[in-house]
Amino acid sequence: MSVIRVATGEDAGPIAHVHVASWQTTYAGIVPEAYLAGLKETEREASWREWLTLDVDVFVAELEGEVVGFVSGGAIREPVEGFDAELFAIYLLREAQRRGIGMAFLRRLSEALKERGFASMVAWVLEDNSSGEFYSRSGGVRVASKEMEVGGVMLPVVAYGWSDLGMIGVDVAHGSV
């Protein structure tokens, strides 16, 4: 069983590990291989040490005492009409996927954002990322698109949006989560 908790400064290293490992598995064949090969956990750890001091919500998931994923979000960084918060990142190690942790992350983040006065959320996702189905199942709908530079290449990204944070993960047709 997984435990989801607020991330602390001591989680910077484990988060960096999940971040790099997830990018290397999730984006293989989408993002240039040289970029993925050049990702360094030590550099990500330094970034996460700083990130964890900012006004953002960051949660980690643990399985058997080990951090296997993280989610972060806060105030929207780039305006998308009708949305005030943003899911910045959600990553799970491959072996921790398909266990309900991703949906639990979305719910926990949405609760934290609601507590801070936010009402809605978007998530920018590489269009070729297979996670689009996950966002759709959780109630997200495509609301915008653009291109983003990653590793010297412009890649299409789409924004999935949830207009009501209270509806994330709710199966409207069956009234369940």
Side-chain angles (χ1 to χ4, degrees), residues 82-85 103-122 137-140 161-172 175-177:
F83 298 91
D84 58 359
M103 195 66 71
F105 266 157
L106 286 181
R107 288 188 190 112
R108 183 62 189 96
L109 179 62
S110 69
E111 290 167 9
L113 292 170
K114 284 191 301 188
E115 288 170 8
R116 292 177 57 197
F118 295 104
S120 58
M121 178 175 74
V122 295
R137 278 194 328 268
S138 70
W162 296 265
S163 59
D164 179 351
L165 288 171
M167 296 302 290
I168 289 180
V170 174
D171 181 343
V172 178
S176 62
V177 290

Side-chain angles (χ1 to χ4, degrees), residues 41-68:
E41 285 185 28
T42 54
E43 292 171 8
R44 292 286 171 159
E45 182 175 350
S47 296
W48 276 103
R49 283 196 190 290
E50 180 180 339
W51 189 251
L52 289 167
T53 67
L54 302 176
D55 185 28
V56 296
D57 292 300
V58 183
F59 301 94
V60 294
E62 292 182 337
L63 282 175
E64 299 176 11
E66 298 293 321
V67 172
V68 296

Side-chain angles (χ1 to χ4, degrees), residues 82-167:
F83 298 91
D84 58 359
E86 183 176 347
L87 165 65
F88 301 141
I90 181 170
Y91 290 106
L92 287 165
L93 295 176
R94 182 176 280 171
E95 59 269 20
Q97 295 175 6
R98 303 202 178 278
R99 296 179 180 216
I101 299 170
M103 195 66 71
F105 266 157
L106 286 181
R107 288 188 190 112
R108 183 62 189 96
L109 179 62
S110 69
E111 290 167 9
L113 292 170
K114 284 191 301 188
E115 288 170 8
R116 292 177 57 197
F118 295 104
S120 58
M121 178 175 74
V122 295
W124 288 99
V125 180
L126 288 171
E127 188 170 42
D128 291 338
N129 182 346
S130 61
S131 66
E133 181 182 322
F134 164 75
Y135 295 110
S136 295
R137 278 194 328 268
S138 70
V141 295
R142 286 181 174 216
V143 294
S145 63
K146 65 180 182 178
E147 286 196 331
M148 178 176 84
E149 187 271 326
V150 179
V153 176
M154 296 304 289
L155 299 171
V157 293
V158 295
Y160 285 86
W162 296 265
S163 59
D164 179 351
L165 288 171
M167 296 302 290

